[in-house]
């Protein structure tokens, strides 16, 4: 049919051959897309070849054995929710064989199957397998620990860390991309110091790549080959998988090819990892050795993308791909089992065959529901029975520890155990949080009216020049009616912010003035319920500790005041706080803390005056706790009329308040000293909380400290650390000697801009932890905290310099952090366990050293005696010695028993000489002079060096001398007299 | 102690034994892993060594105020013998660098200013090819310090951290205390002398910049030829900078500026909404990405902007000192802590602060008259304190303290502006964490006030700007209504006064055009 004229004239629809299309595909398309597209994964074949040569993971070859041999090794198992892996390692830790399977839903069934596979691997070679130990990690680890009596149950992060450091020397960052999740682990001093996880979101994990590849009909094995074929790549925006898929659709429409799309997806993976999951602003700060793990590393395209991304940001990075990327978790578990068994000398594992033959039932019905509280958690019981008759029950699905038991008796036992635990491993943070609001100090009674008050006052002339004069006045008292009136007053105070460190002052201030103790009402500690009920007034969104104050005010108005009417609600604007740190620029509160009462006033009076409605007067005076005299004025202005008190009464009450604060500190330090002494004695670590006072609120710290207490680590607060310079000098002796600081309580060497009271106390506590072998750190900060922000870097520097273990939770907020907090706690607990082992080992080594040195001394002295005997007339010398002994020795023992410090060598900073002493036949190492005087004031020690030679020991003669003091001494400090 | 020597026989002496034991113990320690070397604890070296001899070879870096002020401060310090390089106004790159090298959780001004310094040093290294050692040796950064309580006091900590992490460990950051008075710790040989000469130079530059900025914001919205005001302002800056640098007559320079400014043709008879910018000090002062170039944006949207002068901030510092002293003067006993008067002479202190306040106001007024800035009133600090105290205790410090609340109340009650924008940097403690909450009460009390509190995060400019546009639309209507009302009272001599330097202050009106037509 001839073409129509219309068509011819418009020349459309004419087939012009493939040439144009080809040209377009070859050049035009690329030119069009290229403008917005990114580079390909590799520039050319050479680059690809070189890269593959370096990074392709060599195929794994299982070990072979001579038939009939007995293979000995440890099994590690990583039980995940979608797949499980197991490895068998030999006694050196090398992998013999490994197995992988998709999970079928029951961890015990999966484990049995994996163990059978491993057993078969060995059996097929005609060999037998002797399992020396078994370790588990992953979500199945707890049930396996219970049912198989696993030797090790370690958290995934630690397992991956161990697998990595097994192959590479100095690892800084481990990036594990599995099918389901992404883990980025940061390593400091060989330990995992922090990590980021993504397990809810699929952005960038292996599954996503696999699913995307499947959409193009590409198997995940061929992913890399296809993606490397791209000459350019579309630029996916990083983030959630949903966005990635939207991008994919758009790019497909724009004309990107399958190769390019897969390349683009591989290239967005590192962005997801580092920017979305890890949120690292500067990768170079993490270090330079990166290890890539996880099954996704078998995909070379993903490795190439990661490799280039890292190198672009850390030009001198060393990047490794783990040789067993998919089994790193299982390998870590096996290595830990090996470590534990070697250390313990035996395995608890029920045995390979017993495990394979284990029978089990899993129940989740009305009988397994927990009825210990109205939550009625639906639990699952997994009961196992081994051929040997050993049974076990594993319970899951509970929301609190009570759910781990099944009967009331067991619950009682549990409570009993908890109580013991509390006593044995005190949580002083918790104690402090309770003590602060208790009535523990009985104020002195107000002086009688007319009683003389003498004090030094400042008088200034008209030029302003000051003169101090002693003034005696008569105490002015308010009337008896006023006093009676005060006994009816009820004052509510929110249990928030710096009230956690100053509550004793306020309580005692009011109590001194005659307000009954029971009428001083604090809101309860923060709970999620309190927050959800009362957190609705605010128009601003600062840190949680500040936001939560509204819920406390609400609680006071709607609960406490309804129970019994409150007259006042007192929420002081505390601008300055007392501090123990010396030489600071100032000692201020955070502006948010100081201003919070004003925000509350605005929020509670904006549309409706909630205070008026509740019949409560709100008092939010600004107070300066670093200036006691000014504080009297401030409080008199705020309360004088309201409470009908005189200025003298107010002043007296303020002084009593400060006295209560002192007692509060003293009590906490007393407890702290006890805990520290115990830790030192037992060579164990204790957790020092670096937090602001209100992080003592269980609703703010979300009970994370309890987790550590349950693991057997006592918890100390900054307040509970003894502050006597004499005690602290043990740790700061070197700093003082070198003039780095002028007081052990100074932070000027690390932070000159030290005006924020609570921040500087945190920094000081970090300094102490860096110097005290038994202290490890938990650093808590609230999300959005402005005063903590400058301390992050400082505390990190201070603690890293001495490799002090530390766990940071810098973003705590209203919600209890979910699953990841548990992993975090377990990860840190592992570090603490190793630290404790180190402490114990060091103590054992020190005592070995002492012994060895003492032995050596004996040896040398024996040798010396022998030499002397050879050279002198031994008979004559012995006679002379005997004569001497009889003439000279007078040992008068002191009237009372005395004890000596621990062995001199265990003192971390003992600069003083030590001497051996033989008293009552016991050997001691004592510190010269000072300690002896403490032991027995007024008794002087005579040391007879010649005796040393014959007795191998230094003998002390204690002679009573007159107690005298020399002219140069100051009380309690003179080493030469007993003054 | 037990070093007694046995007779000189050929056997082992005690000294031999002790020596051998020491050696043995050392070996055993090493074997047992007890051979720990003394640990070197971390310390912040905080290098401050800048001596007089290095003055000619050392460049002082500074900046952080308005463009004009940064330039004039540079010139003024050159005038007193320093080599100075003011930094650029911080942009989003500076913010990014600040976030990269700073601690997490800082406020935006910290990131912007800290990032800006690091950015400059990176530029010197990577683009100008200077070695890090050279940069560290030949540059110092000078800035104002504070004793908190907000992050302003820890800028120096943050500067040092970012410098360390960015590879400039050892770079010197020198601070003068903004409340430290005219004489601050300076040794004989100090390269940088914080003496009266230094501070007078600073104050002159700040005030000259203030009056120039203030007058610029008054003229630019009404210029007939677009760009003419900025051109003249550039000439003025140059004139003032030369005078400051060569220590010539500043009043004369200001007078010259006045002549230049006077020549700008304007039409003030346009009803433009007047928008007062208040908020956190740095965020409301900067003219870059730190506040989304807010001033420029508002002008481009047809508003006249009323900015806060830096001098007002200095007056606030003085006021704090006076208030604190007065509060404590009557105490029977003095306290020792920071604010206490123990060992101090409160009367002398008050007199000094009072004189400084008067001198500053005098100098500002003098400069303002010379340049032609009429009817410009520096804030009455006591009045602001009184009106804000019940809402925001004046003892609360950090950032602008109660001033943000006080200025808002003043703006709405005194009809100073049609609209108020309070700029709150992301993460700011006093501004976003406190005064924002209190301001919401004030706006509830004065529902007619057009008020926007904007949070500057660095990104999200589009959102912020569209919110401002919405409010500005309302403000424009208010301005128009006011203008029409003013016209009704007009005596018809507005045209006569329609000049660049005429800026009437007619009671009861906020808009410039309305004031002009309604003036008696
Ligand atoms: S497990 Fe705990 S929370 Fe759940 S029902 Fe039992 S007691 Fe209640
Ligand atoms: S110190 Fe931090 S956590 Fe506490 S109120 Fe201030 S910003 Fe919030
Ligand atoms: S006032 Fe706010 S923004 Fe400014 S330095 Fe302080 S905290 Fe940062």
């Amino acid at each position: 049919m001839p073409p129509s004229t219309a068509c011819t004239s418009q020349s459309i629809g004419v087939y012009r051959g493939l040439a144009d299309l080809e040209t377009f595909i070859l050049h035009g398309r690329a030119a069009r897309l290229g403008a917005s597209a990114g580079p390909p994964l590799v520039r050319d074949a050479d680059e690809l070849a070189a890269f593959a040569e370096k990074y392709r993971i060599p195929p794994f070859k299982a070990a072979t054995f001579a038939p009939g041999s007995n293979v000995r090794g440890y099994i590690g198992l990583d039980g995940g929710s979608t797949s499980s892996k197991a490895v068998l390692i030999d006694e050196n830790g090398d992998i013999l064989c490994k197995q992988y399977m998709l999970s079928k839903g029951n961890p015990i069934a999966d484990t049995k199957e994996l163990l059978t596979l491993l057993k078969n691997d060995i059996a097929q070679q005609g060999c037998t397998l002797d399992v020396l130990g078994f370790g588990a990690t992953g979500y199945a680890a707890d049930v396996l620990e219970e049912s198989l009596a696993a030797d090790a149950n370690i958290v995934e992060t630690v397992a991956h860390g161990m697998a990595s450091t097994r192959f590479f020397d100095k690892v800084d960052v481990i990036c594990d991309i599995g099918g389901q999740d992404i883990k980025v682990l940061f390593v400091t001093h060989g330990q995992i110091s922090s990590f980021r996880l993504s397990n809810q979101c699929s952005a960038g994990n292996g599954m996503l790549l696999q699913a995307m590849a499947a959409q193009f009909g590409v198997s995940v094995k061929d992913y890399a080959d296809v993606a490397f074929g791209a000459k350019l790549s579309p630029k996916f925006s990083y983030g959630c998988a949903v966005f990635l898929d939207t991008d994919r659709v758009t790019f497909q429409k724009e004309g990107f090819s399958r190769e390019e799309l897969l390349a683009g997806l591989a290239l967005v993976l590192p962005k997801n990892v580092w920017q979305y999951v890890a949120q690292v602003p500067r990768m170079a700060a993490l270090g330079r050795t990166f290890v890539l793990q996880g099954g996704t590393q078998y995909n070379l395209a993903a490795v190439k993308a990661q490799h280039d991304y890292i190198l672009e940001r850390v030009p001198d990075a060393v990047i490794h791909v783990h040789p067993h990327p998919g089994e790193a978790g299982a390998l870590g578990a096996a290595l830990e089992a090996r470590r534990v068994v070697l250390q313990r000398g035996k395995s608890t594992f029920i045995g390979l065959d017993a495990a394979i033959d284990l029978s089990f039932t899993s129940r989740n019905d009305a009988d397994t529901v927990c009825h210990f509280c109205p939550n009625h958690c639906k639990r699952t019981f997994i009961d196992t029975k081994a051929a040997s008759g050993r049974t076990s029950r594993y319970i899951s699905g509970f929301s609190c520890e009570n759910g781990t038991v099944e009967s009331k008796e067991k619950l009682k036992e549990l409570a009993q155990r908890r109580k013991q635990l509390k006593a044995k491993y005190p949580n002083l943070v918790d104690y402090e949080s309770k003590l602060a609001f208790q009535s523990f100090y009985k104020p002195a009674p107000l002086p009688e009216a007319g009683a003389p008050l003498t004090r030094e006052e400042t008088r200034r002339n008209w030029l302003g020049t000051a003169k101090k004069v002693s003034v005696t006045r008569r105490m002015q008292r308010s009337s008896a009616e006023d006093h009676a009136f005060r006994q009816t007053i009820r004052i509510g105070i929110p249990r928030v912010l710096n009230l956690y460190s100053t509550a004793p002052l306020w309580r005692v201030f009011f109590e001194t003035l005659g307000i009954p103790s029971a009428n001083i009402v604090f809101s309860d500690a923060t709970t999620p319920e309190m927050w959800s009920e009362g957190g609705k007034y605010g128009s601003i969104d600062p840190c949680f500790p500040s936001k939560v104050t509204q819920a406390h005010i609400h609680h006071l108005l709607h609960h406490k005041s309804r129970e019994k009417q409150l007259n006042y609600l007192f929420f002081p604007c505390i601008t300055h706080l007392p501090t123990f740190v010396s030489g600071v620029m100032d000692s201020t509160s955070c502006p948010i803390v100081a201003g919070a009462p004003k925000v509350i006033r605005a929020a509670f009076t904006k549309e409706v005056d909630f205070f008026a409605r509740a019949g409560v007067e709100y008092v939010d005076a600004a107070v300066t706790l670093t200036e006691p005299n000014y504080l009297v004025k401030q409080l008199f202005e705020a309360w004088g009329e309201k409470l009908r008190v005189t200025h003298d009464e107010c002043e007296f009450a303020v002084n009593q308040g400060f006295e209560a604060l002192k007692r509060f500190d003293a009590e906490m330090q007393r407890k702290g000293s006890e805990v520290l002494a115990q830790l030192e004695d037992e060579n164990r670590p204790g957790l020092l909380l670096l937090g602001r006072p209100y992080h003592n609120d269980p609703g703010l710290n979300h009970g994370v400290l309890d987790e550590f207490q349950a693991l057997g680590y006592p918890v100390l607060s900054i307040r509970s650390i003894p502050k006597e310079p004499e005690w602290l000098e043990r740790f700061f002796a070197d700093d003082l000697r070198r003039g780095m600081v002028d007081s052990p309580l100074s932070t000027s060497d690390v932070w000159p801009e030290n005006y924020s009271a609570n921040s500087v106390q945190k920094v000081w506590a970090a300094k102490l932890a860096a110097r005290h072998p038994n202290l490890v750190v938990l650093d808590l900060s609230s999300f959005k905290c402005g005063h903590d922000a400058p301390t992050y870097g400082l505390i990190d520097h201070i603690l890293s310099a001495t490799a002090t273990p530390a766990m940071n939770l810098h973003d705590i907020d209203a919600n209890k952090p979910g699953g990841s907090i548990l992993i975090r706690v377990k990860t840190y607990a592992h570090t603490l366990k190793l630290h404790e082992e180190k402490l114990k080992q060091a103590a054992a080594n020190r005592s070995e050293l002492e012994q060895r040195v003492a032995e050596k001394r004996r040896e040398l002295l024996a040798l010396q005696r022998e030499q002397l005997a050879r050279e002198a007339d031994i008979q004559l010398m012995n006679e002379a010695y005997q004569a001497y002994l009889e003439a000279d020795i007078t040992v008068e023992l002191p009237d009372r028993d005395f004890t000596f410090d621990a062995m001199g060598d265990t003192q971390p900073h003992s600069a003083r000489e030590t001497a051996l002493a033989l008293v009552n036949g016991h050997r001691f190492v004592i510190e010269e002079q000072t300690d002896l005087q403490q032991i027995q004031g007024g008794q002087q020690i005579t040391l007879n060096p010649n005796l040393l030679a014959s007795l191998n020991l230094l003998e002390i003669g204690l002679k009573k001398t007159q107690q005298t003091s020399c002219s140069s001494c100051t009380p309690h400090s003179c080493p030469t007299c007993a003054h | 102690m037990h070093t007694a020597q046995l007779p000189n026989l050929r056997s082992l002496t005690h000294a031999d034994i002790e020596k051998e034991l020491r050696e043995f113990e050392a070996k055993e320690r090493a074997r047992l892993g007890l051979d720990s070397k003394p640990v070197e604890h971390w310390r912040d070296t905080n290098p401050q060594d800048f001596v007089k001899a290095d003055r000619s070879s050392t460049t002082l870096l500074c900046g952080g105020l308005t463009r004009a002020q940064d330039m004039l401060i540079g010139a003024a310090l050159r005038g007193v013998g320093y080599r100075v390089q003011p930094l650029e106004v911080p942009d989003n790159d500076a913010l990014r660098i600040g976030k990269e090298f700073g601690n997490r959780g800082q406020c935006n001004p910290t990131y912007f200013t800290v990032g800006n310094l690091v950015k400059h040093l990176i530029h010197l290294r990577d683009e100008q090819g200077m070695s890090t050692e050279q940069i560290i040796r030949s540059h110092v950064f000078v800035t104002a310090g504070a004793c908190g309580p907000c992050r302003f006091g820890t800028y120096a900590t943050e500067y040092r951290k970012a410098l360390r992490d960015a590879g400039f460990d050892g770079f010197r950051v020198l601070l003068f205390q903004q409340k430290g008075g005219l004489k601050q710790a300076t040794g004989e040989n100090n390269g940088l002398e914080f003496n009266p000469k230094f501070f007078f130079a600073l104050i002159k530059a700040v005030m000259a910049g203030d009056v120039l900025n203030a007058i610029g914001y008054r003229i630019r919205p009404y210029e007939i030829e677009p760009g003419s005001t900025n051109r003249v302002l550039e000439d003025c800056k140059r004139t003032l900078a030369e005078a400051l640098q060569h220590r010539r007559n500043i009043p004369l320079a200001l007078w010259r500026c006045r002549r230049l400014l006077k020549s700008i043709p304007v039409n003030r008879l346009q009803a433009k909404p007047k928008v007062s910018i208040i908020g956190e000090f740095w965020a409301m002062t900067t003219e870059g990405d730190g506040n989304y170039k807010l001033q420029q944006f508002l002008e481009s949207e047809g508003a006249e902007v009323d900015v806060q002068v830096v001098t007002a901030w200095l007056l606030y510092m003085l006021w704090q000192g006076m208030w604190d002293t007065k509060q404590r003067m009557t105490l029977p006993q003095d306290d020792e802590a920071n604010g206490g008067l123990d060992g101090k002479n409160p009367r002398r202190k008050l007199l000094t602060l009072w004189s400084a306040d008067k001198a500053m106001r005098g100098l500002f007024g003098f400069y303002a008259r010379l340049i032609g800035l009429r009817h410009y009133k520096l804030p009455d600090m006591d009045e602001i304190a009184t009106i804000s105290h019940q809402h925001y205790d004046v003892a609360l410090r950090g950032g602008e303290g109660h001033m943000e609340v006080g200025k808002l109340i003043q703006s709405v009650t005194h009809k100073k502006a049609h609209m108020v924008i309070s700029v709150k940097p992301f993460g700011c403690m006093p501004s976003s964490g406190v005064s924002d909450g209190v301001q919401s009460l004030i706006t509830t009390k004065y529902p007619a006030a057009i008020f926007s509190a904007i949070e500057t995060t660095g990104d999200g400019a589009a959102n912020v700007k569209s919110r401002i546009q919405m409010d500005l639309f309302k403000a424009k209507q208010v301005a128009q209504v006011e203008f029409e009302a003013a016209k009704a009272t007009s005596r018809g001599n507005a045209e006569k006064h329609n000049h660049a330097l005429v800026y009437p202050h007619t009671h009861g009106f906020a808009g410039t055009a309305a004031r002009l037509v309604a003036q008696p």
Side-chain angles (χ1 to χ4, degrees), chain B residues 42-281:
Chain B
W42 181 79
R43 321 212 188 251
D44 184 349
T45 46
N46 188 11
Q48 299 280 311
D49 49 319
F50 173 34
V51 291
K52 259 191 191 145
D54 294 340
R55 204 184 266 182
S56 58
S57 60
T58 305
T59 306
L60 261 55
L61 301 175
C62 59
L65 299 176
T66 63
R67 224 172 252 114
Q69 273 151 332
D70 288 348
M71 175 185 173
L72 297 182
I73 287 173
L77 293 185
R78 262 177 239 124
V80 290
Y82 297 102
R83 279 173 63 149
V84 191
Q85 168 73 60
L87 298 175
E88 294 282 307
V89 171
D91 57 7
N92 278 334
D93 272 347
L95 172 70
R96 187 182 50 73
I97 295 174
K99 282 189 177 166
E100 186 170 338
F101 295 106
N103 278 301
R104 285 179 320 107
Q106 290 291 11
C107 58
N108 260 6
T110 310
Y111 286 139
F112 270 108
T113 48
V114 168
N116 205 34
L117 172 63
V118 177
K119 180 183 144 191
H120 182 76
L121 301 191
I122 292 176
H123 167 83
L124 291 180
R125 185 188 63 197
D126 297 352
E127 267 135 67
Q128 302 211 349
M130 283 176 86
S131 72
T132 311
E133 295 71 48
Q134 251 178 323
I135 296 172
I136 293 174
R137 213 172 343 111
S138 59
H139 290 76
V140 299
F141 180 66
V142 188
T143 187
C147 342
C150 82
R151 294 188 186 83
F152 191 26
T154 50
Y155 274 16
T157 313
E158 208 56 28
Y159 278 119
R160 291 196 300 273
K161 170 184 189 290
L163 289 164
R164 258 194 314 270
D165 289 356
F168 299 98
D169 199 1
F171 189 89
R172 293 159 292 177
V173 176
L174 309 181
L175 295 182
F176 56 87
Q177 293 301 326
Q178 49 173 0
K179 284 196 194 170
L182 291 182
K183 277 191 215 141
Q184 298 187 20
T186 47
E188 260 299 281
N189 195 24
N190 270 8
L192 190 55
E193 288 176 284
F194 295 132
N195 52 16
K197 198 161 99 180
F198 176 88
F199 287 113
F200 282 135
L202 272 187
I203 287 170
K204 277 192 265 182
V206 165
M207 285 198 185
D210 267 347
V211 292
L212 190 63
N213 284 334
I215 204 164
Y217 282 111
R218 281 181 173 185
I219 298 176
R220 198 169 28 236
Y222 302 97
E223 65 190 7
I224 289 171
E225 186 201 326
S228 53
T229 315
N230 282 350
R231 270 199 305 280
V232 170
L233 287 175
E234 284 310 313
D235 289 344
C236 294
K237 273 192 250 175
R238 262 196 303 279
T239 311
L240 287 168
E242 267 170 35
L244 283 162
Q245 181 161 344
H246 303 293
R247 304 179 76 181
R248 295 208 195 102
N249 192 330
I250 309 289
L252 188 64
L254 287 163
W255 188 257
R256 287 210 181 104
C257 295
R258 176 200 186 100
R259 289 218 314 261
L260 294 172
L261 291 161
K262 199 175 171 186
S263 67
I264 304 171
V266 296
N267 174 18
R268 290 208 189 273
L269 293 169
Q270 311 169 56
K272 289 189 175 239
K274 191 185 277 180
V275 181
S276 201
I277 301 181
I278 61 172
E280 191 272 344
F281 173 70

Side-chain angles (χ1 to χ4, degrees), chain A residues 647-869:
Chain A
H647 190 273
D648 285 346
E649 288 171 332
C650 182
E651 182 172 337
F652 188 82
V654 167
N655 291 339
Q656 285 299 302
F658 277 111
E659 200 52 44
L661 269 191
K662 264 192 227 153
R663 300 285 169 93
F664 179 40
D665 280 351
E667 164 60 5
M668 289 315 301
Q669 291 185 32
R670 184 180 73 87
K671 295 306 282 177
S673 298
E674 278 172 23
V675 172
L676 283 163
Q678 194 189 347
L679 290 174
E680 285 177 31
D681 265 5
E682 298 171 4
N683 298 300
R684 287 190 304 122
L687 204 67
L688 172 61
L689 172 68
L690 303 192
R692 310 187 86 79
Y694 33 96
H695 288 133
N696 294 359
D697 182 345
L700 258 60
N701 65 41
H702 299 299
V704 57
L705 300 158
D706 300 341
E707 312 264 0
F708 288 102
Q709 189 187 27
L711 291 168
Y713 298 105
V715 181
L716 292 115
S717 64
I718 297 176
R719 191 178 304 275
S720 70
I721 299 291
K723 311 291 182 328
E724 301 107 277
E726 291 73 22
W727 186 80
L728 291 170
E729 269 166 26
R730 286 170 61 200
F731 308 101
F732 292 94
D734 188 51
D735 305 66
L736 291 163
R737 190 177 45 76
R738 290 164 63 195
M740 295 295 181
V741 282
D742 55 7
S743 150
L745 289 165
S746 164
T747 58
S748 58
D749 57 335
V750 291
W751 199 20
E753 293 80 22
N754 49 19
Y755 57 80
S756 163
N758 289 328
S759 308
V760 74
Q761 288 175 182
K762 282 183 76 166
V763 171
W764 178 82
K767 280 184 66 183
L768 178 75
R771 286 159 177 80
H772 196 304
N774 299 85
L775 286 179
V776 295
V777 162
L778 174 65
D779 184 357
L780 285 191
S781 281
S782 290
F783 177 57
K784 282 197 172 176
C785 176
H787 260 207
D788 272 347
T791 69
Y792 296 152
L794 301 177
I795 292 178
D796 184 45
H797 283 311
I798 293 169
L799 297 177
S800 321
T802 52
T804 305
M807 166 168 151
N808 301 329
L809 288 178
H810 281 173
D811 285 332
I812 51 171
D813 208 346
N815 302 321
K816 187 179 169 87
S820 85
I821 187 95
L822 232 110
I823 301 185
R824 223 164 258 274
V825 167
K826 285 187 179 172
T827 307
Y828 192 46
H830 182 80
T831 307
L832 295 188
K833 196 169 82 185
L834 297 182
H835 187 68
E836 182 168 353
E837 284 173 16
K838 240 192 329 204
L839 286 176
K840 293 221 149 72
Q841 190 57 50
N845 288 350
R846 278 195 299 270
S847 112
E848 184 180 339
L849 175 76
E850 268 155 32
Q851 256 172 22
R852 301 265 299 143
V853 171
E855 266 165 31
K856 182 76 180 174
R857 185 182 288 276
R858 263 198 301 279
E859 251 170 49
L860 288 171
L861 289 168
L863 178 66
Q864 187 192 44
R865 272 205 304 279
E866 213 176 278
Q867 287 171 337
L868 285 170

Side-chain angles (χ1 to χ4, degrees), chain B residues 310-328:
Chain B
V310 176
T311 305
W313 170 260
L314 301 176
L315 294 177
Y316 174 49
M317 296 292 114
L318 296 173
W319 177 87
Q320 285 182 17
M322 287 192 271
W323 191 85
D324 288 346
T325 310
K326 282 188 224 154
Q327 288 300 304
R328 292 160 172 88

Side-chain angles (χ1 to χ4, degrees), chain A residues 281-282 455-458 460-464 468 539-540 585-586 588-589 591-592 594 598-599 602 606 622 626-630 633 735 738 740 749-753 755 770-771 786-787 789-790 792-794 797-798 802 810-811 845-846 848-849 852-853 856-857 861 863-864 867-868 871 905 915 943, chain B residues 1 6 9-12 14 17-18 21 24 28-29 31-32 34 40-44 46 100-101 103-106 146-151 153-154 156-157 160 164-165 327-328 331-335 337-342 344-347 391 393 395-396 429 432-434 436-437 440-441 444:
Chain A
R282 193 167 61 96
R455 67 170 178 204
E456 205 172 59
E457 292 191 356
T458 310
R460 287 200 163 84
N461 62 16
W462 65 274
L463 278 173
K468 298 254 157 70
S539 53
I540 53 167
M585 280 173 90
D586 203 349
T588 69
S589 306
I592 292 193
K598 292 292 167 190
V599 178
K606 203 157 52 182
T626 46
E627 297 173 58
N629 296 300
Y630 187 34
K633 173 178 171 171
D735 305 66
R738 290 164 63 195
M740 295 295 181
D749 57 335
V750 291
W751 199 20
E753 293 80 22
Y755 57 80
R771 286 159 177 80
H787 260 207
Y792 296 152
L794 301 177
H797 283 311
I798 293 169
T802 52
H810 281 173
D811 285 332
N845 288 350
R846 278 195 299 270
E848 184 180 339
L849 175 76
R852 301 265 299 143
V853 171
K856 182 76 180 174
R857 185 182 288 276
L861 289 168
L863 178 66
Q864 187 192 44
Q867 287 171 337
L868 285 170
E871 285 158 13
D905 196 48
L943 302 172
Chain B
M1 176 172 67
L6 285 170
L9 302 169
R10 274 174 294 122
S11 57
L12 278 172
H14 279 295
I17 291 175
E18 291 305 324
L21 275 177
F24 176 77
E28 282 297 288
R29 275 185 182 280
R31 181 181 70 82
L32 293 165
L34 292 171
E40 198 38 62
H41 288 284
W42 181 79
R43 321 212 188 251
D44 184 349
N46 188 11
E100 186 170 338
F101 295 106
N103 278 301
R104 285 179 320 107
Q106 290 291 11
C147 342
C150 82
R151 294 188 186 83
T154 50
T157 313
R160 291 196 300 273
R164 258 194 314 270
D165 289 356
Q327 288 300 304
R328 292 160 172 88
L331 298 178
Q333 284 170 301
D334 293 331
D335 290 303
N338 222 13
L341 294 177
D342 191 50
K344 295 173 194 158
N345 184 333
R347 275 176 218 214
H391 305 294
D393 201 303
L396 299 177
M429 298 192 286
S432 316
V434 183
D436 200 9
S440 73
L441 169 78
T444 317

